Amino acid sequence: MNLPSLINLEEQIGSITKPWTPIEIIRYNDQVVRLAMFEGSYHWHVHEGEDELFFVVRGQITIQVCNRTDIVLRTGEIAVMPRGIEHCPKSDGKSFVLMIEPSALQSSGDSL
C-alpha cells in the first residue's frame, strides 16, 4: 500500500524561474496537476478533447476567450475552460497557477 503524497507548493513555486513552462506536481487516476508561472501573454489555443482547470495559487490572471468576456481570476479562484473554446491566458505580473488536466493533455508550455 502506498502512502499519500505530500507536496509543498511553496517549494515548488520557488523552483520555477521561467514563465509558461509547467512542471508536473503529481499524477492521480488519469489526471495530472501542473504548476506554472504565468507572466506576460501566452498564445491563443484550443484543446479539442479536454477541459482545463486553472487554480490561481498566487497572483492574478486573465483568460481571454474568443468572442466572449474575459475571465479574471485572483488568488484562490478557480475556473474551468471547456474543451473546444479558443483562449489565451495572460498575467501582468508573476502569477502561479495550478492546472488540473487529463494526463492525455500534453501541456509543454512555451510562449509563442
Side-chain angles (χ1 to χ4, degrees):
M1 175 182 237
N2 293 332
L3 294 175
S5 299
L6 176 64
I7 308 296
N8 184 308
L9 284 181
E10 288 302 319
E11 287 176 7
Q12 298 297 318
I13 286 171
S15 73
I16 298 175
T17 58
K18 185 178 174 187
W20 308 112
T21 307
I23 61 171
E24 187 172 303
I25 299 295
I26 197 166
R27 286 180 180 258
Y28 66 99
N29 300 323
D30 293 328
Q31 300 290 311
V32 62
V33 179
R34 295 183 174 108
L35 177 67
M37 177 198 312
F38 286 22
E39 185 175 32
S41 238
Y42 193 55
H43 57 89
W44 286 94
H45 64 284
V46 63
H47 305 287
E48 292 296 344
E50 302 88 12
D51 298 335
E52 187 175 23
L53 184 144
F54 296 90
F55 171 54
V56 179
V57 176
R58 184 186 302 161
Q60 177 176 309
I61 68 169
T62 299
I63 303 173
Q64 298 171 285
V65 183
C66 191
N67 299 320
R68 299 182 189 193
T69 304
D70 292 350
I71 300 165
V72 177
L73 298 173
R74 294 168 186 81
T75 299
E77 294 182 327
I78 298 172
V80 173
M81 183 56 56
R83 68 193 79 189
I85 304 286
E86 189 174 16
H87 59 286
C88 177
K90 66 179 185 175
S91 180
D92 291 335
K94 289 182 183 178
S95 296
F96 293 90
V97 179
L98 285 176
M99 294 158 292
I100 302 171
E101 309 161 325
S103 56
L105 181 63
Q106 296 303 310
S107 178
S108 60
D110 72 32
S111 58
L112 298 177

